Amino acid sequence: MIAESPRPSVLLTRRIPSSVLARLEAVCNVEVPEGSRALDEPELARRVAGKQGLISVLTDPVTSAVLDAGTTLAVVANIAVGFNNIDVAHARRRGIVVTNTPDVLTEATAELTWALILTAVRRLSEGERIVRRGQWRGWTLEFLLGMELRGKQLGVIGRGRIGRAVAAKAPAFGMRAVFAARSGRSTVSDELSLDELLVSSDVITLHTPLTQDTRHLIDRRALARMKRSAFLVNTSRGPVVDEEALAWALRERLIAGAALDVYEREPEIVPELLAMENVVLAPHLGSATRETRTAMIDLAVNNVLAVLQGRPPLTPV
């Protein structure tokens, strides 16, 4: 009699929809920590021991220590497009496949980006707070004047899937979209150097991955180059923007406003930004639709099943 192969074990760091979980449990032993709190590095390292698969989220610290603790790990599937929370180089050295979830959250994040743009330039958050405080005294000619988008330039930093999806919607608002060239000048008609984009755009939106080159890409110098009437929007990764520098630029009226969905030290936010009226602050909602989050989880599970069953991953990093 031939012995059956042992079922692979998978660690889930967060609960997932039961319909998707059932597919995973049909072929794997699955561990899901109780509650909704995030696992810190030591606990993640302890729980990953003996597992063949890890399904993580963007706040999980999948460090070299965690990967080394997972001596039997074959795949880490991140439920996110970004993967800066994972030591990918160390995973590669260990022969561990790392996957992400591109494409499925593109439109949701692009829609959220435009929601932030409109909220910032039309000062909707300011207006709602005034109404809720009972301070609105009625319509007047100069009350909460914002900026129209028609005829303005949208500067997109990051020409990936999400950046392109955001730019594709610009004509609906009468805006011209331009992209930051990846290096220096470009001969492409819709690309400008980063410096040219900063000085000429009315709205600048960030869609670049977090790397050593993009950390604090938007610093004091970059903010000082922007128009005083311009708005900055970030739905990429928090550390792309130096938040202390942003608070300084807003305080000194070097730019008109900002809208953020991501932060340097989530969920902490620079206190000065919290007190400012001309900043829209969203709690990392870029992919937060039922349809998108389910599709992200489904793709992560499919990646794990593919690798553990000896097939190529669908979306390897």
Side-chain angles (χ1 to χ4, degrees), residues 19 32 34 68 89 96 120 154 161 164 189 214 216-217 224 239 248 277 287 291 301 303 309-310 313:
S19 59
V32 186
E34 293 293 328
D68 286 341
I96 300 169
L154 177 70
R161 297 175 182 86
R164 295 196 306 271
S189 61
T214 62
H216 284 191
L217 177 69
W248 163 79
E277 288 291 336
S287 62
E291 298 89 343
V301 167
N303 272 310
Q309 293 172 351

Side-chain angles (χ1 to χ4, degrees), residues 292-306:
T292 292
R293 289 284 170 85
T294 300
M296 291 168 67
I297 294 164
D298 196 57
L299 179 54
V301 167
N302 287 340
N303 272 310
V304 167
L305 291 176

Side-chain angles (χ1 to χ4, degrees), residues 88-241:
V88 176
H90 193 69
R92 186 177 293 116
R93 288 192 292 271
R94 288 278 318 279
I96 300 169
V97 174
V98 177
T99 69
N100 63 344
T101 58
D103 295 327
V104 293
L105 52 69
T106 297
E107 286 303 317
T109 307
E111 289 175 3
L112 190 277
T113 299
W114 278 102
L116 291 175
I117 292 171
L118 291 165
T119 300
V121 303
R122 294 304 302 271
R123 304 175 67 179
L124 296 180
S125 291
E126 293 178 70
E128 188 192 30
R129 285 191 290 270
I130 289 170
V131 170
R132 289 183 180 276
R133 290 195 299 258
Q135 296 174 342
W136 185 41
R137 297 295 177 260
W139 188 93
T140 61
L141 274 174
E142 296 184 349
F143 180 63
L144 284 184
L145 299 183
M147 180 183 78
E148 290 188 14
L149 295 177
R150 183 163 298 279
K152 304 299 195 303
Q153 178 173 292
L154 177 70
V156 183
I157 299 178
R159 197 164 191 158
R161 297 175 182 86
I162 297 172
R164 295 196 306 271
V166 170
K169 293 171 173 53
F173 298 96
M175 298 189 78
R176 171 180 178 250
V178 296
F179 293 90
R182 291 191 175 183
S183 58
R185 283 188 163 275
S186 173
T187 57
V188 180
S189 61
D190 64 350
E191 285 189 355
L192 301 175
S193 70
L194 176 60
D195 193 62
E196 290 171 329
L197 182 144
L198 290 171
V199 300
S200 62
S201 296
D202 301 285
V203 177
I204 293 174
T205 180
L206 305 175
H207 304 286
T208 183
L210 177 61
T211 66
Q212 288 304 313
D213 291 333
T214 62
R215 184 176 295 274
H216 284 191
L217 177 69
I218 304 301
D219 55 11
R220 283 198 174 210
R221 181 190 178 281
L223 291 159
R225 297 291 289 162
M226 290 172 60
K227 293 182 177 182
R228 287 182 176 265
S229 58
F231 292 81
L232 177 72
V233 179
N234 188 15
T235 59
S236 60
R237 285 291 180 263
V240 173
V241 176

